[in-house]
Amino acid sequence: MTSPVAFLFDLDGTLVDSVYNHVRAWHLALRDEGIELSIWRIHRKIGMSGGLFTHQLLRELGIELQSETIQRLRARHAEHFLALAHEVVPLPGAVDLLRTLAELDLPWAIATSGRMATASANLKSLGVDPSTATVVTRDQVNYAKPDPDLFVEAAKRLGTTTQGSYVIGDSIWDMIAAARCGALGVGLLSGGYGREELERAGALRVYDDPADMLLHLDEIAPRTRD
């Protein structure tokens, strides 16, 4: 008996159009601390855990901050993001894709590097209730992307494993995490990373957005009906 194939989704930039809201929120949080950083540099780190994100940015800047300042940065990012949360909408085809997977009896889950404080607004826009759907956030694992803990835990809650399952994400960090846990990476262009970047990071297939993935679902979905 083989384990069921699961579809393990990232959230920001994969199912909801929120990447640039996060970029803006981090930009404002850094500015609050007197740190000026080009927005494009922030975008390249979206998808990592907040801690790793912060440390990498500071390494690029060549500065050190006290742990209290880093904690304050994370808190300010969450505040700024929630102030912009009303702008977040599902990406084209996201709701239909999740519904179709459910209709085909194909298990799916959402695994996000965001904490529930920020993820809850995105889930609400998507119409996903974390009390009934399988949702794993940064609060619930030891390490976030590019470590695979989020996806491993999501697969476990679905009663399966990451081996042979799909990790669907918009960033290279999703693809690296997929490779680390034996999953097959599926990249989406809806978060701002390029096709070649995602493929170099290990993406088996790359689609424009959830709507494009749904259109080509028969390329990757196991057959559940005759």
Side-chain angles (χ1 to χ4, degrees), residues 59-120:
R59 184 170 63 195
E60 287 188 14
L61 290 168
I63 63 176
E64 293 186 7
L65 294 179
Q66 298 296 319
S67 59
E68 295 82 2
T69 304
I70 293 174
Q71 291 296 329
R72 194 162 59 244
L73 275 171
R74 294 178 191 169
R76 292 295 291 160
H77 160 260
E79 291 173 12
H80 286 303
F81 180 80
L82 290 174
L84 300 169
H86 65 282
E87 301 175 0
V88 175
V89 296
L91 283 159
V95 174
D96 290 339
L97 176 57
L98 297 181
R99 182 169 57 242
T100 298
L101 291 175
E103 290 172 351
L104 293 172
D105 297 320
L106 293 170
W108 61 268
I110 294 173
T112 174
S113 288
R115 297 177 184 274
M116 186 56 77
T118 53
S120 57

